[in-house]
Amino acid sequence: MIELLRQSLLKNGLLTAFALVGALMGLSYFISTRLTRGRLHGSALAVFGGLVLAYVGGMITGGKNGLADVPMFAGVGLMGGAMLRDFAIVATAFGASFSELKKSGLPVVIGLFSGVLVSFACGAVIAVVFGYHDAVSVTTIAAGAVTYIVGPVTGASLGASSEAMALSIAAGLVKSIVVMIATPLLAKKIGLDNPHTAMVYGATMGTHSGVSAGLAATDPKLVPYGIMAATFYTGLGCLLGPSALFLAVRALLRV
Amino acid sequence: MTIYGVALLAVSTLVGLTLGDELGALLGVKANIGGVGFAMLLLIFSTDWLKARGRFTPPSAAGVVFWSNMYIPIVVAMAAQQNVLASVKGGPLAILAGVAGTAISFAMIPALARLGRPK
């Protein structure tokens, strides 16, 4: 009986993932209302729970895809993979107000540039402090602090060492996780309760996974605005990282 | 029919992502630039256009709304497959580099939002 159940859970991976995530959501909302009196939002707890499961999955399998590397939960990889993620994110735009989008042009552009530059500069300074002095490694690690996609794209085109690449990706992952967890906690403080601020937030933070999860846990209605802006961030980072930013780092390190 | 909504959503997403890849290739960047954003605009425009002609009925809308509601669970599944272990193993450098930029970015948001708040 148990063996048969195991077999069907394995064979129907996506359904197993639906059931698992459903249970996790239920547990999170229960904890949210009963134990935190709604102060910690259920979806924020669920995202955090997902990260914990990813950590456990990584511990068990030693793989890179968190829980999705456990054969029984491989369906989580499909459910949370790029295809369904983009599909569902686009769906959230249904009912979004276009006039709200149009109003926020300039601050979004400033947010995009300052977000990429600030994250990159912080990453670069910290890389130098930790003893990296060649321009390629510093740029790669700094680009990772922008997002974990910008990092490896930059590193690959500069021919960075695998050590710098690994650090770069790790820095980006830390950023995305910090954004996921911190957004719902800081939302009130930074006035993140309207489409305009959500767009500025999306543009400044830029990490796709961090912004999508952070806004989902704050107010799902804001998701399309934040994501719409964030969708240009990684592209801008990939554009600037191996070019202008690399040249700037190289010039500064020579001084 | 519900499938009309789902199909419209699928077409919007596919076209948007293709545009994003195209823009990335044009700029010589190995990334999708704005794909999801273009897809969102396509969805907003196409549903508005169809609604104005009475061709986008509530059952069709249900096909889009369902996926919009599935968004948070999908994000939870996405979180569950992040390489959390590697981010912790990356050590102090990775953690500091990730946290520092994020903290300053958060701090900038109120000022940036005020800067251009639409009247």
Side-chain angles (χ1 to χ4, degrees):
Chain A
M1 179 62 195
I2 291 191
E3 178 54 25
L4 283 178
L5 177 66
R6 205 181 68 88
Q7 285 295 332
S8 55
L9 291 183
L10 269 173
K11 259 188 297 186
N12 305 294
L14 184 60
L15 305 187
T16 309
F18 285 155
L20 175 79
V21 173
L24 178 60
M25 298 284 297
L27 178 69
S28 304
Y29 275 86
F30 176 81
I31 293 174
S32 165
T33 47
R34 291 297 166 83
L35 299 182
T36 75
R37 292 169 189 276
R39 233 170 304 170
L40 277 177
H41 200 278
S43 36
L45 286 172
V47 168
F48 185 72
L51 291 172
V52 172
L53 289 179
Y55 184 83
V56 174
M59 291 274 275
I60 296 173
T61 64
K64 285 191 292 190
N65 303 314
L67 192 66
D69 282 331
V70 180
M72 175 89 71
F73 301 118
V76 169
L78 179 55
M79 180 178 173
M83 179 176 71
L84 286 182
R85 183 199 61 194
D86 289 347
F87 193 55
I89 286 180
V90 173
T92 63
F94 183 60
S97 141
F98 186 66
S99 54
E100 287 286 353
L101 286 174
K102 256 195 330 204
K103 279 188 243 165
S104 300
L106 184 65
V108 164
V109 173
I110 299 174
L112 282 170
F113 278 91
S114 51
V116 170
L117 291 179
V118 162
S119 294
F120 186 91
C122 286
V125 168
I126 287 163
V128 170
V129 169
F130 273 77
Y132 289 87
H133 293 295
D134 65 298
V136 170
S137 298
V138 171
T139 308
T140 303
I141 294 169
V146 177
T147 74
Y148 59 77
I149 297 173
V150 177
V153 166
T154 302
S157 63
L158 297 177
S161 67
S162 65
E163 177 197 337
M165 291 284 247
L167 282 172
S168 167
I169 295 170
L173 285 171
V174 169
K175 173 177 181 177
S176 121
I177 291 163
V178 169
V179 172
M180 284 185 201
I181 296 172
T183 302
L185 302 176
L186 294 175
K188 239 189 210 141
K189 246 187 198 140
I190 59 172
L192 185 56
D193 58 4
N194 59 78
H196 173 71
T197 310
M199 288 195 70
V200 172
Y201 157 86
T204 314
M205 290 303 169
T207 151
H208 210 272
S209 46
V211 166
S212 52
L215 281 178
T218 306
D219 178 358
K221 276 197 288 297
L222 299 178
V223 167
Y225 302 104
I227 292 296
M228 180 87 76
T231 158
F232 292 97
Y233 182 96
T234 292
L236 182 66
C238 291
L239 193 62
L240 295 180
S243 55
L245 291 173
F246 171 66
L247 295 177
V249 168
R250 203 175 55 176
L252 283 173
L253 285 176
R254 276 212 194 114
V255 178
Chain B
M1 278 206 291
T2 302
I3 185 64
Y4 294 158
V6 180
L8 184 64
L9 176 59
V11 171
S12 304
T13 309
L14 289 169
V15 174
L17 290 177
T18 310
L19 287 175
D21 280 334
E22 198 64 44
L23 185 57
L26 273 177
L27 295 171
V29 178
K30 279 178 245 156
N32 187 296
I33 301 186
V36 171
F38 296 137
M40 286 174 156
L41 291 176
L42 281 172
L43 181 73
I44 295 175
F45 287 138
S46 57
T47 50
D48 279 354
W49 190 82
L50 289 168
K51 262 189 216 156
R53 281 154 190 76
R55 303 299 293 268
F56 199 69
T57 55
S60 306
V64 181
V65 170
F66 171 80
W67 284 104
S68 169
N69 290 336
M70 279 301 283
Y71 171 69
I72 292 177
I74 283 175
V75 163
V76 171
M78 176 192 77
Q81 54 172 314
Q82 301 292 317
N83 197 350
V84 179
L85 197 62
S87 78
V88 178
K89 269 195 188 151
L93 194 168
I95 293 175
L96 268 178
V99 171
T102 312
I104 298 179
S105 301
F106 264 116
M108 293 190 316
I109 291 173
L112 283 172
R114 249 195 316 277
L115 180 83
R117 193 183 290 283
K119 311 270 152 17

